[in-house]
Every structure is written in structure tokens, then in C-alpha cells.
Amino acid sequence: MSNQSNRQGFASRPADPERWIKSAESKSNATAANGFTARLTIDVTPDQRARIKIVAFQRGVTVADMLRDLFAREFPITDGEKR
């Protein structure tokens, strides 16, 4: 009676989650610039997460890009370290 449109790609998850994560990483600017990235997971309170997201939005950047810049400032590459 009713024709349902095929929305398979809208909210479907891939069969291989690792490939899914790696494909998202390969599209990021950091991957293109550095050739390799690693995922970092930290625990923050919901209030901290909200503040981080708001500041990133106000600055017009993604949370990931903002945190990469923060880490680069706080932990600069020293002489003799691999890049």
C-alpha cells in the first residue's frame, strides 16, 4: 500500500566498525597533513563536554581541531623528536 523509500544509507552502520572509523579518520584534515592519527579517549563531565563544544562552536572549529591545536601548544615537538 505505501511505498517505503530505501533509507539504508541514512542511519545504517557498516558491518565492519573498524573500517568505518578508519574511513572517517582518513577524511580528516589531520590525516591529510600528518599521514597518521590516533584516537584519544578521555573522560570529562557532561558540563565540561558542553563547555568545550560551545567554545568550539563559537570559534567556528570542530572540537577535534580545537583540541589538536591545544595539544600542539601545550606539548610542542622538541628537538630530536620524530614528527
Side-chain angles (χ1 to χ4, degrees), residues 30-82:
T31 304
N34 301 330
F36 175 76
T37 61
R39 189 168 300 271
L40 174 67
T41 303
I42 61 171
D43 294 325
V44 296
T45 65
D47 289 342
Q48 288 172 323
R49 181 175 182 265
R51 288 194 306 271
I52 291 167
K53 289 178 77 172
I54 289 169
V55 170
F57 179 77
Q58 289 171 337
R59 294 179 183 178
V61 298
T62 64
V63 171
D65 287 340
M66 185 178 74
L67 292 177
R68 281 186 202 105
D69 291 343
L70 172 70
F71 291 147
R73 269 194 324 271
E74 293 298 318
F75 306 103
I77 296 173
T78 59
D79 291 338
E81 238 182 286
K82 286 186 177 182

